[in-house]
Every structure is written in structure tokens, then in C-alpha cells.
Amino acid sequence: MDHSVSAVKVVVTGPRSVGKSSVSKALSRRLAFTYVSSDVLMDGLLDEYGGLDGAIQDCRQGLIQRVGLHVVKDVLYRHNVVFDLASGSLNSYGGKSRADDVKDLLDSQDVRVVALLPFEDSERSVEHLLRRERDRDHFEGWTDDKLRAKVSSDYTALENVLPEVADDVVYTGTDGVSGVVGRVVQRLE
């Protein structure tokens, strides 16, 4: 994708627990853009199912993707926005899906997509994310083996999708938020 230096829409995506929200909020302050979270919007729209966490626990992936597509469409018509996009919006679970529609939508908009990944090494990334995922409410009660399988599977799928969608990949490593934001801003210039 070819985008100008003065992007008016920045989408930050990556796996759960990579730091998308913290980086997106700090980036929006630095750019003086509006911060929008797909998780917050989705949580409100899925309230009758117990919010986003409830829909995840009930394995309502189809519903999450349908609602997610509408959220993405709405946000991408705004300007001067940093959009914290949950990676579940990009993962397809067999065949042509709403995730493919989201990817097509990102391709058709004047938007700069920045993917955050923990490390270049996949195994190290999975271990890093697994440590952080253990503290998330929607995985409460999961065994270590079940959670490890989910984190590994989701990460592998996302690793294959991000090159199709992202303009830039930034590895967060063990850097703090300000260091990651600085590298993202450099990529946007």
C-alpha cells in the first residue's frame, strides 16, 4: 500500500496483550488525533451477550466478526484518528470471512496500518504474550495448556495475515510505550 506521510487515519493492530491500547493512546496524544478502541466499541455493541468478553467466552466468533466489520467501517470514515484494532478482526477462521472484508476495507481506505509484534522470534513472542494473557478476564479458568494452544494458534494465524495488511511492522520487545511510539512516529514520517 502506498500512503502519504500525512496520514489522517492510523490503524494500530497486533495480537492481544502486545500493548496496542497503550501505544495507540500515547500515539493519539502525540499526533493530537482522536483515540478509538475497537474493543470498547465492540463491548458496547455486544452488551446483550455479556460484552466482548462474554462473546469471546461463548465462542461467538461469527457474531464478533459481523459486528466488528461495522465498527471498522464506521471508524475508517473519520479523520485524524488512531484506531486500536483488535487482531480478531483480521483472523479468518476458515474460508472467505468478515475478516477478509475488513482486510479489503483497510486496503481501500487512505489509512496507514501499523502492526505491533512482540519480537521477531515467534516462540519468544508466544511466551511473552502468554504471560500477559494469563491476567485477562476472558481467559479466567482456562488451563495453561488450553491458553498456550490458543495464544500459539492465534499468533501463528496473525503472523501470516499481517504482511497482507500492514504498511509497517514494529517490534515492541521490552521497550516502554514511549520508545515504541517514537519508532511508530518515525515510520509515519
Side-chain angles (χ1 to χ4, degrees):
M1 290 181 253
D2 182 30
H3 300 286
S4 67
V5 171
S6 58
V8 293
K9 292 173 260 196
V10 179
V11 173
V12 178
T13 193
R16 286 180 315 273
S17 297
V18 75
K20 290 183 305 295
S21 297
S22 298
V23 169
S24 295
K25 288 174 186 176
L27 179 63
S28 68
R29 285 190 299 272
R30 179 135 174 210
L31 299 175
F33 281 14
T34 302
Y35 166 77
V36 179
S37 166
S38 64
D39 283 349
V40 170
L41 294 174
M42 295 282 291
D43 200 44
L45 292 170
L46 295 169
D47 188 51
E48 68 184 273
Y49 301 96
L52 182 57
D53 284 345
I56 289 170
Q57 287 174 346
D58 291 345
C59 298
R60 295 180 177 268
Q61 190 61 38
L63 173 66
I64 292 168
Q65 286 189 346
R66 279 194 309 278
V67 172
L69 179 60
H70 294 291
V71 165
V72 172
K73 282 182 181 177
D74 177 56
V75 172
L76 291 183
Y77 288 107
R78 303 177 191 186
H79 292 286
N80 298 328
V81 65
V82 173
F83 185 34
D84 173 358
L85 179 63
S87 61
S89 302
L90 302 173
N91 279 341
S92 299
Y93 295 91
K96 173 83 170 146
S97 72
R98 295 242 176 342
D100 295 317
D101 294 337
V102 169
K103 289 182 264 185
D104 292 344
L105 186 59
L106 290 173
D107 250 353
S108 71
Q109 298 291 312
D110 181 24
V111 60
R112 188 71 176 263
V113 180
V114 177
L116 302 180
L117 292 174
F119 301 99
E120 290 186 63
D121 178 70
S122 297
E123 287 181 34
R124 187 174 178 200
S125 292
V126 168
E127 288 304 315
H128 177 79
L129 295 170
L130 180 61
R131 282 191 300 276
R132 298 184 76 181
E133 289 285 69
R134 286 184 181 118
D135 296 330
R136 294 187 76 121
D137 289 342
H138 50 259
F139 296 121
E140 186 178 324
W142 284 41
T143 65
D144 252 10
D145 288 342
K146 182 178 178 180
L147 184 55
R148 179 181 299 282
K150 172 129 182 82
V151 170
S152 182
S153 171
D154 288 354
Y155 188 80
T156 301
L158 190 59
E159 248 186 339
N160 294 326
V161 168
L162 286 178
E164 300 171 23
V165 185
D167 297 298
D168 299 288
V169 175
V170 175
Y171 294 98
T172 60
T174 56
D175 290 350
V177 172
S178 61
V180 175
V181 168
R183 286 189 281 129
V184 170
V185 168
Q186 286 176 337
R187 302 280 179 93
L188 295 175
E189 294 176 337

